[in-house]
Structure formats: C-alpha cells, structure tokens
Amino acid sequence: MIQSGIPKNLLFLIANRYMPPVLKLLMEVHDETLQGFLLAGHATAITGLGVYDFMHNEFKLPCAAAGFEPVDILLAIRELLKQIKSNQYEIINCYTRVIQTEGNLIGQKCLNEVFDLKAGIWRGIDMIEDSAYILKDKYAFLDARKQLICKPDYPPQAHHPSCVCHRVMLGEVEPQDCKLFKKACTPSSPFGPCMVSPEGTCHVRYSYSEINIDFI
Ligand code: SF4
C-alpha cells in the first residue's frame, strides 16, 4: 500500500513487532519447564521457518508451526509431543496449506523495502534489539509519530504496578496468580495488554475460567 502510493493525508502509526528476538530472550531466561514451541502460522507464513533455526540449533527445543483451527493446534501439539518423546528437536510445518518453508518471498521483499528493524520496548519486559518495525527514512513523511505531535501522558513502559503481564508472557505465572485477575482486571476494564486482546493470555483464561485445566 505504501509502495503503490497513498493519499497525502494518510499517516501510519506503526506498532508492528518481530518475534524471533523476543523468543530468543525467552530462551535465554527460561528454565527446564519449556519443552517446545508452537509457532504462529500467520507470521511464519511471511517469514518462513528459517528464522527460527536458532530454536533447535542453539536451544535444542522442538517447534511446530501451527494454524488456528482446533485441529491445527492439536496436530502441532501432537508433533511436539512426538519430538519430546523421541528426544528430537526440529521445526515441523503443520500448516502446510498456508506456510511454505521459505515463507512469502514477495511479502519479505515488501517488508525489507518499507521497514527497518530497530530496538523496541516490550511492555514490562525491556528494550529488545531488532524487534520493532519502523518506517524507513524515505517514508518518514508517512510516520504519524514524526508528523503529528504525539505526546502520550504516560511513559511507554507504564503499566499498573500490580499487573504481572510480563511474567505471564514469559510463562512464569498463570493469569489467575495475578491479584487483579477477574477482580479489578476484566476484558471490559483491562489493566494490562494480556487482558485487552481476545488472543491475550489473561483474556483467554478469563473467557474459559470455568474450565478446569490440569497441567501435567
Ligand atoms: S490479569 Fe490483568 S492485571 Fe493481571 S496480569 Fe493479566 S492483564 Fe495484567
């Protein structure tokens, strides 16, 4: 869209993130409880599988790229369990109807031409190198942050002091371990990003909190 020309009064507020660096950070701080990863199918369809090679080369963890239907998730979990059982670690593509090994080469070319990867702040975690997409200098005239006077009245890392979203995202605690969960913090009154999006871990746990899940 940017490359094909857009109206002069259309600006972009870019908040896109690149996942591999944050997964690498997670690998570096994780303990033995992490045994494998489901890779999100929509992002992997663009990047391809190669950007996750460090997961098995460096960290010896099995990965499975999954789609979003229940059967896709089950298939990917089955692949992870097979690898864990046989003490193997590789990246399996369980979403072959969408993901090609090399990814979407046209999409990658567009991303590389329009965006640079820079250090970005992950709320509650830290600044992570090469994890945030920003528009290249030649497209700065389309960047809302540069063209408009944007002064948020809170610092970019601010979140409620009792919100443990960052620990939820790192897999250190469950949403229900947060003292705000289902009390002050609900989907209609979220305190942290994990409760905002329907895909957020706290939001999901809230929606299905009547279901008891026994983790083995
Ligand atoms: S329940 Fe709310 S306040 Fe607690 S960690 Fe989740 S998003 Fe943050």
Side-chain angles (χ1 to χ4, degrees):
M1 198 178 157
I2 286 174
Q3 287 176 315
S4 60
I6 57 167
K8 285 188 178 141
N9 61 350
L10 181 59
L11 299 175
F12 291 86
L13 185 61
I14 304 293
N16 296 345
R17 289 291 191 261
Y18 182 60
M19 285 302 295
V22 78
L23 286 184
K24 194 159 193 182
L25 174 98
L26 185 54
M27 291 294 86
E28 285 163 359
V29 301
H30 92 293
D31 57 24
E32 298 300 313
T33 54
L34 277 177
Q35 292 179 291
F37 268 97
L38 294 181
L39 304 176
H42 58 337
T44 312
I46 303 292
T47 63
L49 300 175
V51 297
Y52 296 105
D53 279 348
F54 66 90
M55 302 283 264
H56 58 93
N57 286 342
E58 213 174 312
F59 298 103
K60 318 283 185 220
L61 272 185
C63 296
F68 297 91
E69 298 296 329
V71 69
D72 292 319
I73 301 286
L74 286 172
L75 182 62
I77 290 173
R78 176 173 172 268
E79 287 301 326
L80 288 182
L81 291 174
K82 275 166 63 181
Q83 288 193 56
I84 292 167
K85 193 174 174 191
S86 58
N87 207 21
Q88 288 179 319
Y89 31 83
E90 54 186 321
I91 300 177
I92 301 290
N93 182 4
C94 300
Y95 198 27
T96 50
R97 69 186 186 277
V98 172
I99 299 174
Q100 297 188 2
T101 304
E102 70 278 12
N104 179 336
L105 298 178
I106 295 174
Q108 291 168 23
K109 185 166 178 282
C110 289
L111 280 173
N112 292 336
E113 286 173 0
V114 172
F115 294 104
D116 282 326
L117 274 174
K118 298 277 184 186
I121 289 176
W122 291 67
R123 190 179 345 202
I125 298 177
D126 206 344
M127 183 82 80
I128 300 179
E129 290 297 326
D130 300 328
S131 68
Y133 284 107
I134 63 155
L135 287 170
K136 282 186 182 292
D137 286 344
K138 65 178 176 181
Y139 294 116
F141 65 99
L142 299 172
D143 191 334
R145 283 193 176 82
K146 291 181 178 160
Q147 300 306 324
L148 304 177
I149 301 172
C150 300
K151 286 190 179 166
D153 56 2
Y154 53 85
Q157 276 181 290
H159 63 287
H160 191 282
S162 296
C163 172
V164 291
C165 251
H166 54 300
R167 297 191 64 206
V168 171
M169 287 190 280
L170 290 172
E172 294 176 356
V173 297
E174 292 289 329
Q176 55 271 36
D177 297 328
C178 171
K179 59 186 178 187
L180 302 179
F181 180 71
K182 282 184 80 174
K183 298 186 178 83
C185 182
T186 65
S188 57
S189 177
F191 276 61
C194 296
M195 190 61 92
V196 175
S197 157
E199 294 177 346
T201 311
C202 296
H203 193 125
V204 170
R205 199 70 186 91
Y206 181 96
S207 303
Y208 299 97
S209 56
E210 302 307 319
I211 301 173
N212 286 321
I213 303 172
D214 289 325
F215 293 100
I216 301 171

